[in-house]
Amino acid sequence: MTTLIQPKLNAPKLRRVCVFGAGSWGTILAHLACKKGDSSVSLYSHSAVEAQTLQSNRTNSRYLPDLKLHPDLVISNDLKWCVENAETLIIAIPSTAVRKLCQDLSGFVRTDQLIIHGVKGFDPVSLQTMSEVIRHELGFVRVGALSGPNLAMEIAQGLPAAAVVASSFDEVCQAGVEILHQKTFQVQKNQNILGVEYLGALKNILALVAGLADEWAVGKNATAFALCSIQAEILKLIKQQITSHHLKLQDEVELLWGLAGFGDVFATATSLGSRNYRAGRLLARGHTVSEIQETLSQSVEGLWTLRAVMALITSPSNPPLENIKRGSDPTSTSRYAQLESLATLIQIGEDGLESSDLVQSKAYLMTQLKLVRDKLFQL
Amino acid sequence: MALISPNSQSLELPANAPLHQISLHRSQVIRDALLEASSESQLNLNALSTNDLEDLVTEALYFESHRLETKADPVRDEIDLHKLTEFSQTLKNRNNLQLPAQAIFKSLCHEMMEYHLEEIAGHFDPKTYALATRLVPRGFWWLLKATSLRNFQELFVGQVNLRRNLLIQGQTQEFQSLAQKGTVILVPTHFSNLDSVLMGWSIFALGLPPFAYGAGLNLFSNPFLGYFMNRLGAYKVDRRKKHKLYREALLAYSTVIIANGCHSLFFPGGGRARSGGLERNLKLGLLSTALSAYIKNPTRKIYLIPCVISYHFVLEASSLIHEHLQNAGGSRYVHRFRDESYDPKKLFKYFMKFFRQSGKIYLNFGQAMDPFGHYVDPNGRSYSDAGREIDPLGLIKSRGQIIANPKRDREYVHHLAERITERFTKDNVVLSSHFMAWAYFTYLRKKFEDYDLFRLLQLPLEMSHTSLTKFFKFAEPLLAAVHKGHENGAFLLEPALRSTDLRAILDSALRNIGVYHNNKPLALLQGETLQTEDWNLLYYYSNRMVELELPMEITA
């Protein structure tokens, strides 16, 4: 029988918070919330052994070995206890696990609790954003998304960072600020939760492409061109999806140029601290998806996101993108081909087939990127 | 499906029926509504600065004086003008009143809202209700029966199957059950002035007590209608009053009566749908009063029931589409219109034509939801989309306390509105006439694809002539898409449209769509050529299909 760890709670503070997920992001968020000092914070890990180890060693040796966990942080694997002793729930787990967590939470969660997720990805089956998954499972609860250029390793080193908490509910944004905002971690508010979620998820693909391009040394110019080309496709997708939700992302240039857009792309598309970027480089070296996951020892959201994007693009209910695929615009065709080629590469990587397909796919993407480079030189 | 039949006796109205109680304690209700409108969650009068209060007063005086200049209702406007002069005098003489300006403005806000509330608040008279429940159904029954007869003898022998013409269907049992468990708010689509009559009839036919209903002030001017409406709990809504104090007074009245357990009816789309399409952008004002009432009295649950009304032909179609095109097109729309909606002869013709045809009016009651848009079961329990039971009470709590939070509540109401529009699509019964008008208009738009909408609508009628063979070839994939959409649960179909025989569907559409209008939106020329005799009407009826989720791209 699993041992349930119910640590003693510290003296009550302004807010009671539970962070779900003891990976690098969850751990750093729980640590930051404790450091801020206004909240009683617990960190949930589904593994009793992990919870016990974190509680006794006061460090997350697997993901953030150099970080000494805040003394006030309590760690537990008791889901019910964690939920019942919190007013705000922060979810920081892979996108593929969010639905299951919500299903597990549903027995204990209360509709007066606020939920903030820091997950950049889509549900692999329904292609919903994380807030949509949470609401599908738990009802129209007050939910927010935490996003931005946040490399956990840098934050753990005490380097300054900024994030955005987005929700159509002001009290969720306010909770995010009150729980996390501090000198070295600035938290801004935004109302466009869907826009922030889409940007956060889709930039993962850009980081993958940047990793691939850098590994193949096609040059920074060609890499930038490739990123812009793919981003153009992604933007079309965002516009279409968001419009269907009665939001006007196209008018929100600030969002694209803000922390959740440009800021996040800048940090993750260029840094070895980004899992997605490193995954792109490993993919270019011919590693399989499982090898990549093993090497990085964490879930790589970009791989899932790309698959979700391909599913959205090829969905029959997406006629404008179908038109692009059919080649109504020759430049768009080549951009779509790049995305498709990338998806094939990942699919092959996942299946573990080191075959001529991989070489062919890689060669195709290389050709595309080189064409882009040649075009740039001609210009 | 509920069978409509006339009750031999009127419905027994319990003495404690909320609508009756509201009327008995009308003064108290007005006081409560005044408190509600002034409260923190609404205008928050106590917290407003002198400047903000002054803005409220001057805005009201400005809009009211403009409204009264139009002299739309001379008798009533005369009384309003007198009162307006009083308010203006108080404002002018405020320096002589030896009171702080803030107190004077606040007092004026109260007085103005109280004045409006006196007009808004309805009356209810059980005797009139008993009379109406005897007379109206019988009258309606006889009208139905007389107009449905194939020969005169049938008037005296046999039963007319009323299901033939007027179908009340959908989640009716759930509706009845929830009306026992909490307060029900009916939110139907709105295409015609006939909607209110049909909704009132269906509420009665389902054995439910009377509902409060916000009726346009103009309807009370009619001596016959006014007599009944003044005594059956209808409250007055004056759409010409545009200022905030009136709006808040109206919303507060609705909140108070719902919180007191009065079942209510709103048309959440506001006025009648001008375009003929299903409403997409709902008005959030009255809709928000469902949540406000729940916050005010959380012990009493509130349920919203969407209802979609489907007509083969709409009484006011010509005037409605005229208004829509005028608004959308401005100078590009050429006026060619004569109003045909309120002529009593036309009204009689409409009823006679309607009930003599085999076509039907569908009143389809959809799945009930709570004020946050969660579906509820017949026992009134709320569920997430994944089917997990949830407690809606927590959603109005912040840090453990039930509070009204206007910003938060606006989000909930937005979501509720989205869910209602979703239901409008899903619960919509697509009729053969809707389908044929849409398929034909889509064909014509494709044929004249270089023309924009307004140029198309001005084309000579002969340009619409189309051979049936060509049209059927074009309509075939559209019909397949509609069938597929129906299979996917995106909307409902009337039985005539479930066939794959396009000719039979066209015949059904022609039988129904053209019976009322002088110029038919869809007509057959010499049995082989399809044509329209009125482009605008064709466009109006085709719009009913526009918002449906069809599993194909329709390039118009």
Side-chain angles (χ1 to χ4, degrees), chain A residues 14-15 87 103 106 111-112 135-142 168-171 191 245-246 319 323, chain B residues 372 374 384-386 388 390-399 405 407-408 411-412 415 418 553:
Chain A
L14 185 67
R15 287 183 180 272
E87 291 149 352
Q103 287 165 357
S106 65
T111 44
D112 62 342
R135 283 180 171 157
H136 180 86
E137 295 295 332
L138 303 175
F140 198 72
V141 288
R142 284 159 279 183
S168 50
F169 290 97
D170 193 49
E171 54 190 317
Q191 291 195 327
H245 287 90
H246 311 295
N323 289 341
Chain B
F372 309 91
H374 302 112
S384 74
D385 288 351
R388 293 172 211 295
I390 51 166
D391 176 16
L393 189 65
L395 294 170
I396 52 171
K397 284 183 182 170
S398 286
R399 316 294 297 269
N405 174 340
K407 269 174 129 178
R408 175 201 70 191
E411 281 307 309
Y412 289 141
H415 184 247
E418 274 180 25
E553 189 192 356

